[in-house]
Amino acid sequence: MAERAIPTDDELKQKLTPLQYEVTQRAGTERAFSGAYWDVKDPGTYHCIVCDEALFSSETKYDSGSGWPSFTEAMDPAKVTLKEDRSHGMVRTEAECASCGAHLGHVFPDGPGPTGDRFCMNSASLDLKPS
Ligand SMILES: [Zn+2]
């Protein structure tokens, strides 16, 4: 696989929409039911909007009712970094792209799959490539 260059901050401001920048670079959250993918069921692969790494498969996507695209697991656990997030007076698990550090969303322990995880992601962090 080819090495992917991580864009500079200026390049990111050019490349991303203001919302995509806010979410991925400042750990923002899009409004529920506002994103491009919360209700999408098309088959394909969800890539990182910043570095294009393949992160989630539509096969693990499900309707969580949250208004954000939700997955039971990452395509490869090594591609998504999980870390403790104590912002906003809560203790949550933050999910980042392991390749470029883009904020993706949070992981909650109430998923329906065998792992019990719910990857609650922002549409603004993802780019769906249809299969
Ligand atoms: Zn990335």
Side-chain angles (χ1 to χ4, degrees), residues 25 35 40 43 60 71 79-80 84 86 88-90 92 100 104 110 116 123-124 126 131:
Q25 306 305 305
V40 167
T60 64
F71 304 85
K79 290 185 174 181
V80 178
E84 189 176 270
R86 291 181 167 270
H88 304 291
M90 296 176 271
R92 295 179 294 174
C100 73
L104 303 172
D110 57 8
S123 301
L126 301 172
S131 55

Side-chain angles (χ1 to χ4, degrees), residues 27-42:
T29 302
E30 70 196 17
R31 279 185 299 115
F33 304 101
S34 75
Y37 297 134
W38 70 270
D39 197 25
V40 167
K41 297 181 175 69
D42 300 345

Side-chain angles (χ1 to χ4, degrees), residues 18-131:
L19 178 65
Q20 289 168 344
Y21 184 87
E22 174 68 21
V23 170
T24 61
Q25 306 305 305
R26 302 193 186 281
T29 302
E30 70 196 17
R31 279 185 299 115
F33 304 101
S34 75
Y37 297 134
W38 70 270
D39 197 25
V40 167
K41 297 181 175 69
D42 300 345
T45 306
Y46 289 83
H47 293 244
C48 174
I49 193 73
V50 175
C51 74
D52 203 34
E53 183 69 58
L55 299 177
F56 298 97
S57 165
S58 61
E59 290 175 20
T60 64
K61 189 174 187 293
Y62 73 102
D63 182 4
S64 66
S66 69
W68 290 283
S70 302
F71 304 85
T72 53
E73 60 187 349
M75 284 179 72
D76 178 346
K79 290 185 174 181
V80 178
T81 302
L82 303 181
K83 53 189 219 183
E84 189 176 270
D85 171 15
R86 291 181 167 270
S87 65
H88 304 291
M90 296 176 271
V91 181
R92 295 179 294 174
T93 303
E94 179 185 4
E96 286 183 348
C97 173
S99 299
C100 73
H103 174 80
L104 303 172
H106 289 90
V107 182
F108 299 96
D110 57 8
T115 64
D117 289 333
R118 168 168 61 100
F119 284 76
C120 184
M121 303 291 104
N122 289 278
S123 301
S125 301
L126 301 172
D127 179 29
L128 173 60
K129 305 204 171 175
S131 55

